[in-house]
Amino acid sequence: MRKKALITGASRGIGEEIAGMLAGEGYDLVIVCKNSGERLTRLRERLQRECGIRCEAAVCDVSDSGQVEMLFEIIGEVDVLVNNAAVSYVGLLTDMSVEKWREVLDTNLSSLFYTCRAAVPGMVKKKAGKIINISSVWGSAGASMEVAYSASKGGVNSFTKALAKELAPSNIQVNAAAFGVIDTQMNQCFSGEERAALVEEIPADRMGTAGEAAQLVRQILHMPDYFTGQIVTMDGGWI
């Protein structure tokens, strides 16, 4: 029987590439996003056709605990959980509304609590499972004008380390991939001049690609079981 993986934020960018990677590895998939249902359906059909796997697609707001609970009632247990869903906010902290702050923290951090709380019992029962959280270099370095995003990713890092210790006796590995600037839609909020300035600070002299991000997730997935509680950074030499 094939193993099953759940990827949140799977309709585009890093999440889409991770879904393609896992399908190529022979996993059955559950792919989830909040808004882009049609795009998610096209991805499901393509992966099933090209990779011969079973793929379920669901529109689910993972920042909503009730929706996550309903999702797991439908899909059951998973062997791999990739928490990729995230939103950003660029602007002064003093200009940020309480509602936007909560959206960023709930989507980027609280969602991990909701999905892990639902996925972990099945993994504990099998004494096996892998959880990979997608983080950012801003979670440790902090980014001006992105306080909420930085705080949420710092929380992801701490969440990862703590849960890894909690689940290690059950042979469940919890790790995070912390990326620098990856060329995805999330960065389209920046002007061409701002994007060029970002690249100037990267020793590799370019942004990373979503495909490269998925490659790192693959490497973490195939690490020995003793590899857990780690925040693995890929940033083109920036830090």
Side-chain angles (χ1 to χ4, degrees):
M1 181 180 293
R2 285 195 294 259
K3 292 184 177 181
K4 184 192 296 185
L6 166 63
I7 308 102
T8 69
S11 64
R12 65 185 76 245
I14 293 173
E16 181 178 359
E17 290 291 335
I18 292 172
M21 177 272 293
L22 287 169
E25 296 265 316
Y27 283 85
D28 286 335
L29 301 181
V30 180
I31 53 175
V32 170
C33 73
K34 180 179 179 180
N35 295 313
S36 305
E38 291 184 5
R39 185 181 178 97
L40 201 69
T41 297
R42 291 195 297 270
L43 176 61
R44 180 196 68 194
E45 293 172 349
R46 177 173 66 82
L47 294 178
Q48 288 187 147
R49 181 177 65 253
E50 295 179 356
C51 302
I53 54 97
R54 181 183 178 190
C55 183
E56 301 173 70
V59 173
C60 175
D61 179 0
V62 291
S63 71
D64 183 321
S65 62
Q67 291 192 36
V68 173
E69 289 171 4
M70 289 178 60
L71 173 70
F72 273 85
E73 287 177 5
I74 296 169
I75 68 173
E77 298 176 359
V78 298
D79 302 283
V80 173
L81 169 62
V82 181
N83 285 306
N84 171 70
V87 295
S88 65
Y89 173 88
V90 180
L92 293 172
L93 178 69
T94 50
D95 291 337
M96 189 176 195
S97 68
V98 171
E99 291 74 22
K100 183 58 69 172
W101 170 269
R102 288 174 176 163
E103 178 189 357
V104 173
L105 270 292
D106 286 348
T107 302
N108 298 2
L109 181 56
S110 296
S111 63
L112 273 64
F113 166 55
Y114 304 144
T115 58
C116 289
R117 182 177 61 169
V120 162
M123 294 180 177
V124 169
K125 183 173 67 176
K126 291 182 286 189
K127 296 292 184 182
K130 293 184 183 292
I131 298 171
I132 302 176
N133 300 319
I134 304 304
S135 188
S136 167
V137 293
W138 300 134
S140 57
S144 175
M145 306 287 283
E146 294 189 65
V147 173
Y149 183 81
S150 299
S152 69
K153 292 302 184 178
V156 168
N157 293 347
S158 295
F159 183 101
T160 298
K161 290 176 178 289
L163 188 60
K165 292 179 178 180
E166 187 172 318
L167 298 181
S170 297
N171 190 38
I172 299 165
Q173 293 76 50
V174 187
N175 295 288
F179 297 116
V181 184
I182 304 297
D183 191 10
T184 65
Q185 186 176 6
M186 183 177 286
N187 294 314
Q188 296 304 312
C189 62
F190 299 112
S191 68
E193 184 177 338
E194 290 169 332
R195 287 163 60 86
L198 282 172
V199 169
E200 285 182 3
E201 297 180 2
I202 303 171
D205 198 33
R206 65 176 177 86
M207 297 182 183
T209 69
E212 288 173 320
Q215 288 179 41
L216 178 58
V217 172
R218 177 192 285 120
Q219 293 298 318
I220 295 172
L221 187 66
H222 289 294
M223 290 297 286
D225 290 349
Y226 201 61
F227 186 87
T228 192
Q230 304 304 304
I231 314 299
V232 186
T233 299
M234 186 176 77
D235 62 3
W238 183 75
I239 291 182

